[in-house]
Amino acid sequence: MAKTGLIIALDTQDPLEAEKWALATDNVGHMIKLGMEFTYACGLDAVRTLARGRRLFLDLKLHDIPNTVSAAIKSLESVRPAMLTIHTLGGYEMIQAARKAIDESFPPAVKPLLLGVTVLTSMDEQGLNEIGIRNSPMEEVVCLGKMAIQAGVDGLVCSPVEIARLRQELGKEPKLVVPGIRMKNAETHDQKRVMSPAEAHRAGADWVVVGRPITRAADPAEAAKAIVREMQDHS
Ligand code: C5P
């Protein structure tokens, strides 16, 4: 079974705290993830500093008209992320524009993977209903996922619960990046569609994204190691 990588979500507004978590887990995690919280609070220079010598998943979940998303991606070239995210709900044309922006503005050797966020892992059926979507989370993820792959994403961000179905529908090629990871019987926080690291690995995740179970642990390095160990034990 292919290896599943661990991405550590450094969700904080404090660059020193982010650096502390990154240093503690440098030899365990395979990539760091910085999102809106860190980027808006600390700025892109702080993102560049933290990403130096590390692989960066820049999770800004871009969602706007095609022209704006395209321009935003072009302006991220100097940050050199290994992966970046857009919302698939932005639609086919927005995704195509994002693909084109990456292909035109990043040198081939440092081209980031373009990932489409499908349905946030904090949403359940009721949450979708409230925004007028009658599909179940699974149906909606499959619908958005198929459309996004056709429009040009390299992979998808989905909940662990949808991995098996997406593999069935889309094959092995698309990268599947999976948040909503919790150890058995642990607190789920605001995540609704969760699985354990071993379950996500077995289902076929390329990467799992883990934040609070590592960063809020008494010993983040140990917590990260336990997750990697659990995935290795189930290979
Ligand atoms: O702390 P926790 O493990 O829940 O963190 C999960 C991370 O993955 C957060 O940074 C969150 O923004 C991100 N994420 C998510 N669900 C998605 C996409 C990204 O939880 N669909």
Side-chain angles (χ1 to χ4, degrees):
M1 186 176 282
K3 212 171 140 200
T4 304
L6 172 63
I7 300 174
I8 304 183
L10 306 177
D11 292 322
T12 172
Q13 295 161 24
D14 177 356
L16 294 178
E17 185 167 50
E19 182 68 37
K20 189 182 80 189
W21 292 337
L23 280 173
T25 54
D26 265 343
N27 298 321
V28 193
H30 304 96
M31 216 183 282
I32 57 166
K33 180 176 95 75
L34 297 174
M36 290 184 217
E37 183 176 353
F38 185 86
T39 307
Y40 291 155
C42 310
L44 280 180
D45 281 339
V47 171
R48 281 189 200 92
T49 303
L50 199 58
R52 207 162 291 139
R54 301 186 170 106
R55 279 166 60 76
L56 170 68
F57 174 14
L58 189 58
D59 185 23
L60 296 180
K61 298 192 178 67
L62 303 175
H63 188 180
D64 209 313
I65 58 171
N67 187 56
T68 302
V69 166
S70 168
I73 288 178
K74 286 180 182 168
S75 67
L76 292 173
E77 194 269 331
S78 66
V79 185
R80 293 285 152 90
M83 312 205 281
L84 56 84
T85 46
I86 54 174
H87 262 292
T88 55
L89 275 170
Y92 199 92
E93 269 183 47
M94 188 205 82
I95 298 169
Q96 271 187 321
R99 172 81 271 156
K100 196 157 170 263
I102 288 185
D103 291 343
E104 284 176 2
S105 56
F106 285 80
V110 292
K111 214 182 261 195
L113 291 180
L114 178 64
L115 301 176
V117 176
T118 52
V119 177
L120 294 172
T121 40
S122 54
M123 299 279 275
D124 55 12
E125 187 132 17
Q126 188 191 333
L128 284 182
N129 250 281
E130 283 161 2
I131 57 166
I133 293 174
R134 302 286 168 239
N135 280 339
S136 67
M138 181 72 85
E139 287 165 326
E140 187 63 16
V141 168
V142 170
C143 165
L144 289 170
K146 281 182 167 169
M147 178 275 297
I149 294 290
Q150 266 184 17
V153 296
D154 299 299
L156 299 169
V157 181
C158 63
S159 101
V161 181
E162 289 113 28
I163 305 171
R165 176 77 188 279
L166 283 173
R167 285 284 176 228
Q168 243 175 37
E169 301 275 348
L170 302 169
K172 285 193 189 144
E173 202 56 33
K175 300 292 176 205
L176 296 185
V177 177
V178 180
I181 301 297
R182 291 295 181 269
M183 302 301 264
K184 285 264 178 259
N185 303 320
E187 195 190 334
T188 57
H189 306 108
D190 53 352
Q191 299 285 16
K192 303 249 168 65
R193 299 173 357 258
V194 300
M195 267 188 184
S196 72
E199 288 169 328
H201 167 66
R202 262 198 310 265
D206 291 290
W207 284 282
V208 290
V209 179
V210 186
R212 288 161 292 181
I214 292 174
T215 57
R216 294 203 186 163
D219 184 342
E222 236 350 279
K225 278 183 204 155
I227 289 170
V228 171
R229 217 177 297 128
E230 193 189 295
M231 293 195 294
Q232 279 165 354
D233 288 349
H234 290 81
S235 288

